[in-house]
Structures are given as structure tokens and as C-alpha cells.
Amino acid sequence: MFYQHTSHDITIRVEVDYVPPEAHNHAPETRHVWAYHITLMNGGDETVQLKTRHWTIMDARGQVEYVNGSGVVGETPVLRPHDTFSYSSGCPLSTSSGSMSGYYMFETDEGRPLKVIIPTFSLDLPNARRTLN
């Protein structure tokens, strides 16, 4: 399953995979880890640069963590018209489900800021049934 959203002609596509415990070496209290794969696609006519990321991570108990920082995976990619950039990262949780949402701040060549929404995506165990209220 993938999640996708477009803001300011920039499309963010997210795919999520659960990482089984035997495949990661996180601390014991971190029982669950998800890998997320993001593709940024510039569908506009302007060159843009990703400057910052802003994440809201919520676990199954409603505990919220905010993660803010420069770029992604150590880079601040420049996307010319119709360029793409992909990266992967991970999210450890002590609960068996959660969600992530947020936004990126991009800047055009002229210095105009663009807030680009990252679609909210769920972090669930494989084959888990989720009931939405």
C-alpha cells in the first residue's frame, strides 16, 4: 500500500514495510520497527530545494513525538522540473501500531518557501486489522 499527496506541484509518495524483530538491532523496549520509503516528485516548472522536515509520530497509546531537522538522510536535494528523489528511513515504536504525518519545507530558486504536506500513513503489523472510529 502507498500513500500520496501533492502540494505546490510536488508529490510525496510513501510506502511502508514492517521490519521483523530478527532483522533489526534496536533496544529491547523498541519492539517494532517500520521502514518507510519516500519519493519526492517535482511536477512543476520551478527548481526547488528541500530545506527541512517536520514529523509528528504517534504510537498506539497516543504518545506523540515531534522530529524536526534539516533535509532528509543528510541531504537537502535540489529537484529541477520533473526530477525525483527517493530515500528510505525508519521508525521504531514500543507499540504495535502508530502513525506518521508531517511536512517538508522547500524553497524555490527565488527564495519563496513552499510547505509540502507528507500524507499521514499508518504503521501497522502485517495482517493486522485496524478499526477506525
Side-chain angles (χ1 to χ4, degrees), residues 7-78:
S7 308
H8 303 286
D9 294 322
I10 301 168
T11 300
I12 308 300
R13 181 183 172 120
V14 182
E15 295 182 62
V16 182
D17 294 309
Y18 180 71
V19 180
E22 61 273 9
H24 66 79
N25 58 356
H26 284 272
E29 64 274 7
T30 303
R31 294 190 307 259
H32 304 287
V33 176
W34 288 265
Y36 57 89
H37 316 283
I38 296 188
T39 301
L40 314 167
M41 298 169 272
N42 182 2
D45 296 327
E46 292 183 276
T47 297
V48 296
Q49 182 174 18
L50 189 151
K51 293 293 193 173
T52 59
R53 69 187 183 285
H54 306 272
W55 287 105
T56 301
I57 304 167
M58 185 184 310
D59 72 14
R61 288 188 216 96
Q63 298 278 17
V64 175
E65 179 182 359
Y66 299 100
V67 177
N68 302 295
S70 177
V72 292
V73 295
E75 298 187 49
T76 55
V78 173

Side-chain angles (χ1 to χ4, degrees), residues 68-122:
N68 302 295
S70 177
V72 292
V73 295
E75 298 187 49
T76 55
V78 173
L79 297 173
R80 289 177 176 71
H82 310 293
D83 276 357
T84 63
F85 177 83
S86 296
Y87 75 95
S88 296
S89 192
C91 181
L93 291 178
S94 62
T95 61
S96 62
S97 66
S99 66
M100 292 180 68
S101 62
Y103 63 94
Y104 299 116
M105 288 303 298
F106 281 81
E107 193 173 276
T108 67
D109 277 346
E110 292 77 36
R112 185 169 47 94
L114 303 173
K115 183 177 182 178
V116 177
I117 302 299
I118 303 166
T120 300
F121 56 95
S122 64

